Amino acid sequence: MIGTTTVRTDGTWSVSLPADINLITGEELSAIQIDTKGNQSKPTYRVVTGAIDAPQINQPTAGDRVVSGTGIAGDTVTVYFDDGTKIGSAVVNADGTWTVNVPSYENLKAGYNIYAIQTDQDGNVSDKANTTVLPKAEVATPEITAPTEGDRTISGKGTAGDTVTVYFDDGTKIGSAVVNADGTWTVNVPSYENLKAGNNIYAVQSDQDGNTSDKANTTVLPKAEVATPEITAPTAGDRTINGKGTAGDTVTVYFDDGTKIGSAVVDADGNWTVNVSSHEQLNAGDNIYAVQSDQDGNTSGKTNTSVLPNSEVAKPEITAPIEGDRTITGKGTAGDTVTVYFDDGTKLGSGVVDADGNWTIEISDYMDLKEGEKINAIQTDADGNQSEKATTTVLPRTVEVPTIIAPTEGASVISGTGVPGDTVTVYFDDGTKIGSAVVDASGHWTANVSNHVYLNGGDKIYAVQTDQDGNESDKVNTTVLSNSEVAKPEITAPIEGDRTATGKGTAGDTVTIYFDDGTEIGSAVVDADGNWTAEVSGHIVLNGGDHIYAVQTDADGNQSEQVPTTVLPGEVTPPNINAPMAGANTITGTGEAGDTVTVATGDGTEIGSAVVNDDGTWTVNVPDDIELNAGDIIYAAQTDQNGNRSEYASEVVQAA
C-alpha cells in the first residue's frame, strides 16, 4: 500500500508518495474506495506513465488582456506566441481552470497563433495545445434620430437584443435601452437632465458579448419656429378680432398689458376669428397683440396692432416703393398725418400731407426696404381719428438698360454708358457673346471684341447690363455701321412731347432718328440748305430723359456713326420739403440731383437756395434775420440745369 486519503468535497483526492517509493513507468497501480460503513469498491487500475495531458485553451479575441482554459489542478500552464515568446503562466485552480494575464507590452492580434503547455509538479511537460486569436466582433453603429430641445426621450434603430447607450458629448451618460425585436430603441432622458438646442450627443451599441460599436453622433434640434399670425386692426367697439394664420394652430389675442381677450383655432382656409369677451371693450388707440401656438405647444412672436377709432377717415394713397428706397410717398388729405408701418406693426415713419395732397416719409438709417415686404399706411385726422390701412408691397429694383454706341465694321471694341460697377455684356442677335466689361466710376464701359469674332456692317447686336446682385436689364439693340466716310449729322435736343426732331446734315442724305434700344422714331431727307426735320411717328411719345440718336445715310446706303442726345424735360418737378420745426436754422428736402432749390416765405421773401446733392437731398440755411414760427407756410421751387423752373411746393412750420 502506498497510502490512503479522504475524498475532498469537490470530489478530488490525492495521496503523497512516501520517500522510499518511486513510481516507475509501466508499473500498474490500483485504487479502492471505502465508504463510511466500510463497504469497498472494486479496484481501479492505472499504469504509470511519464507524459501528462495537454491543457485545454480557450480561443482569445483580439485585444483581450487574458488567456484562459482548463487543466489539472496544481499543475502550471504556460502560454507562448508561435515564435516561442512567452506570454505568461499560471497555476491551475482547484476547479481545474487557469487564467494567464497578457503583459502590458504585448498585444493579442487577430490571426496570431499561440499555444499552451502544462507542467506537473514533478516537472513533466505536456504536448502543446494550439489555438488562434479570433478577430474582434464588429458591432454595427446604431442609428439615432436627432431629438428636439426639451424632448424627454431619444430614439433610433439598432440590432435586436443589443443594448444602446446614449451620452452627452462630454461622456455624461443619458441612459440606455435594449433594442426591440423590430429594431427600434427608446432611451428615457432622466428628470435631472435637459436636452438643449445645439447639445452634441452620441449613441453606442453593445452586443451580448460586450463588444461595442463606433459612436453615432447627432445634435439636439431647436424647437420648431412658429410663424407670427396676421391680425387685422379692429375698430373701436368691435366684438370680434380676425386675421390669418397656420391651419390647425391656435391664435390668442391680448391687450398690451397681457390681459387675454380670447383665442381661436385657425381654420382650414387659414382664417381665424376671436370673440371679444363680454366684459371687455375695444377702445380706439388700445394696443393689442396676437400670438400663434402650434399643436406641440411652441409659440410665435407677437404681432402688434392698434384699435382704430370708429370714424370715416379716408385711406391714404401709397406709391409702392422700390427695394432700397430711402423715402416712401403718396397722397392724402391736406393737413392729415400719414404713418407707415411694416406688416408686423413696426413703424417706418410719418409725415403731414401738404397743401397739394402729397406726403413723403424718410426711412430711418437703421431700416431697409426689401423686395416683397408688405407695408401699410394709415391716415390720422386732426381729431385723432384713423383710416383703414392702405397696403402695398415693396417692388424689386430693376436694372437700367445700358447705352451702346453703334460700332463700325471691323471694330475691336464696343463702348457705351451704364451704372458704375455693373457689368455690360454684348451679344450678336443670335445670342453669341461678343464680349463684356465692368462699367467704370464715370459710367462708361468698353468691351473688347473676342479674337474669333468679326463685326460686319449691318450685323444686329445688343447689350445687357447685370447689377452686382445678378439682376439683368432688358436688351438695348443697335446695328454695326458699314465702314464708310459718311459725315455725322447734327441733332437738336428735342423737348418732352415734341412731334418733330430737327438738325443739320449733308444735302440729299437721309437722317434717321432712333431710341437708344434701336426703335425708329422717324426720318427725313436733308434739304438743299443742310437742314432736316423728322416727324415723330404717331404712336411714339418723347419723354424727358429719353436717350435718342441720329444716323445719316448717303445715297449708296453707307451710314455715319451715331450722334446721341437726350430729350429735355418739358417741366420741372416741384421739390419735396420736410416740415421744419419752429425756430429751425435749416430747411431740408429732396429733389433732382444737380437742380437748384430756392425756398421763400409766404410773402415772397427768399430764405435761401441750394443745389440738390447726388443722393437727392438738399439743405437751405435760414438767415439770422428770418425766424420760422409755428403755422408759417414756406414755399420751394426747383430749377433744372437748363433754367426751367418748377411750380412751388409748400409746407407748414410745425410747433417745436
Side-chain angles (χ1 to χ4, degrees):
M1 185 174 72
I2 296 173
T4 61
T5 187
T6 301
V7 179
R8 303 184 186 97
T9 57
D10 63 1
T12 63
W13 57 267
S14 61
V15 172
S16 298
L17 294 174
D20 58 344
I21 294 178
N22 287 312
L23 298 180
I24 301 171
T25 300
E27 285 182 330
E28 186 176 60
L29 300 178
S30 64
I32 296 172
Q33 185 167 258
I34 303 172
D35 64 19
T36 56
K37 295 178 181 180
N39 299 311
Q40 292 186 355
S41 70
K42 293 181 179 180
T44 300
Y45 298 95
R46 289 290 185 270
V47 176
V48 176
T49 176
I52 64 173
D53 291 336
Q56 292 183 346
I57 182 169
N58 300 324
Q59 270 190 292
T61 301
D64 282 356
R65 303 312 306 166
V66 296
V67 183
S68 62
T70 58
I72 298 172
D75 284 1
T76 299
V77 174
T78 306
V79 183
Y80 299 87
F81 286 111
D82 204 35
D83 63 0
T85 301
K86 180 179 176 180
I87 297 173
S89 61
V91 174
V92 181
N93 301 317
D95 62 359
T97 62
W98 56 267
T99 300
V100 168
N101 294 317
V102 178
S104 58
Y105 52 82
E106 297 287 4
N107 279 308
L108 298 181
K109 296 183 179 179
Y112 276 3
N113 294 315
I114 62 174
Y115 65 88
I117 60 171
Q118 186 166 235
T119 304
D120 66 15
Q121 297 172 58
D122 295 322
N124 299 306
V125 179
S126 73
D127 291 334
K128 296 177 181 178
N130 298 287
T131 192
T132 302
V133 178
L134 297 172
K136 192 171 184 177
E138 290 191 9
V139 180
T141 305
E143 294 178 21
I144 182 171
T145 302
T148 300
E149 182 175 23
D151 280 356
R152 303 313 305 167
T153 60
I154 305 168
S155 60
K157 291 182 175 290
T159 304
D162 284 1
T163 298
V164 173
T165 305
V166 184
Y167 301 86
F168 284 111
D169 205 34
D170 64 0
T172 301
K173 181 178 174 180
I174 298 173
S176 62
V178 175
V179 182
N180 301 318
D182 62 359
T184 62
W185 56 266
T186 300
V187 167
N188 293 318
V189 178
S191 58
Y192 53 84
E193 296 287 4
N194 280 308
L195 298 180
K196 297 179 180 178
N199 282 163
N200 295 314
I201 62 174
Y202 65 88
V204 175
Q205 184 164 245
S206 303
D207 66 16
Q208 296 173 62
D209 295 321
N211 301 306
T212 58
S213 71
D214 291 334
K215 297 177 181 178
N217 299 287
T218 193
T219 302
V220 178
L221 301 174
K223 283 186 178 179
E225 289 190 9
V226 181
T228 53
E230 295 179 19
I231 183 172
T232 302
T235 301
D238 281 355
R239 303 313 305 165
T240 60
I241 306 169
N242 53 55
K244 290 187 173 292
T246 303
D249 285 2
T250 298
V251 174
T252 305
V253 184
Y254 301 86
F255 285 110
D256 205 33
D257 64 1
T259 301
K260 181 177 174 180
I261 297 172
S263 62
V265 175
V266 183
D267 67 23
D269 297 324
N271 301 307
W272 57 267
T273 300
V274 166
N275 294 316
V276 178
S277 303
S278 58
H279 59 280
E280 298 288 359
Q281 180 72 32
L282 297 180
N283 298 309
D286 283 346
N287 295 315
I288 62 174
Y289 65 88
V291 175
Q292 184 163 244
S293 303
D294 66 16
Q295 295 173 63
D296 295 321
N298 303 307
T299 58
S300 71
K302 298 177 181 178
T303 301
N304 300 285
T305 193
S306 296
V307 178
L308 300 174
N310 194 1
S311 63
E312 293 295 329
V313 178
K315 285 195 298 185
E317 295 179 19
I318 181 170
T319 302
I322 297 171
E323 182 175 33
D325 279 357
R326 304 311 305 164
T327 60
I328 304 172
T329 62
K331 290 187 174 291
T333 303
D336 284 1
T337 299
V338 174
T339 306
V340 182
Y341 302 87
F342 282 116
D343 206 35
D344 64 0
T346 302
K347 181 178 175 181
L348 275 162
S350 62
V352 176
V353 182
D354 65 23
D356 297 323
N358 300 308
W359 57 266
T360 299
I361 290 173
E362 301 287 335
I363 298 172
S364 303
D365 292 339
Y366 55 85
M367 292 186 179
D368 285 307
L369 295 178
K370 296 180 181 178
E371 176 189 348
E373 286 183 326
K374 289 183 178 179
I375 57 175
N376 306 303
I378 294 175
Q379 185 163 246
T380 306
D381 66 16
D383 296 322
N385 299 310
Q386 290 186 330
S387 72
E388 294 181 359
K389 293 178 185 177
T391 301
T392 191
T393 302
V394 179
L395 300 174
R397 182 163 293 280
T398 57
V399 181
E400 295 179 19
V401 293
T403 66
I404 182 171
I405 299 171
T408 304
E409 181 175 4
S412 59
V413 295
I414 304 171
S415 60
T417 61
V419 177
D422 285 3
T423 299
V424 176
T425 306
V426 185
Y427 302 85
F428 283 109
D429 205 33
D430 65 0
T432 303
K433 182 177 174 180
I434 297 171
S436 64
V438 176
V439 182
D440 66 24
S442 66
H444 296 92
W445 58 269
T446 299
N448 294 318
V449 177
S450 301
N451 293 332
H452 60 282
V453 170
Y454 186 85
L455 299 179
N456 295 303
D459 283 345
K460 303 286 186 184
I461 63 174
Y462 65 88
V464 174
Q465 184 163 242
T466 306
D467 69 15
Q468 294 173 65
D469 295 321
N471 303 306
E472 281 192 349
S473 72
D474 292 331
K475 298 177 182 177
V476 57
N477 301 285
T478 192
T479 304
V480 178
L481 303 174
S482 58
N483 196 3
S484 61
E485 294 295 330
V486 179
K488 293 191 291 184
E490 294 177 13
I491 181 171
T492 302
I495 296 174
E496 182 175 16
D498 279 356
R499 303 310 305 163
T500 61
T502 62
K504 291 185 175 293
T506 303
D509 285 1
T510 299
V511 175
T512 306
I513 314 299
Y514 301 87
F515 282 112
D516 210 24
D517 65 0
T519 302
E520 182 175 334
I521 298 170
S523 64
V525 176
V526 183
D527 67 21
D529 297 325
N531 299 310
W532 58 267
T533 300
E535 299 289 332
V536 177
S537 300
H539 61 281
I540 288 177
V541 175
L542 297 178
N543 296 309
D546 283 346
H547 296 292
I548 64 174
Y549 65 87
V551 175
Q552 186 164 248
T553 307
D554 67 14
D556 297 322
N558 299 310
Q559 291 186 327
S560 72
E561 294 181 1
Q562 296 176 2
V563 178
T565 191
T566 303
V567 178
L568 299 174
E571 62 180 42
V572 180
T573 304
N576 292 315
I577 314 171
N578 298 324
M581 305 298 288
N585 56 17
T586 61
I587 302 171
T588 63
T590 59
E592 294 292 327
D595 285 4
T596 299
V597 174
T598 303
V599 183
T601 63
D603 63 5
T605 302
E606 183 173 326
I607 296 173
S609 62
V611 175
V612 182
N613 301 317
D614 289 341
D615 64 359
T617 62
W618 57 265
T619 301
V620 168
N621 294 317
V622 179
D624 293 337
D625 59 342
I626 294 178
E627 183 175 355
L628 299 180
N629 297 307
D632 286 349
I633 298 177
I634 59 171
Y635 298 88
Q638 186 164 237
T639 305
D640 71 14
Q641 295 169 64
N642 295 313
N644 301 305
R645 187 167 185 159
S646 73
E647 294 179 357
Y648 281 96
S650 64
E651 189 55 84
V652 178
V653 177
Q654 303 294 303

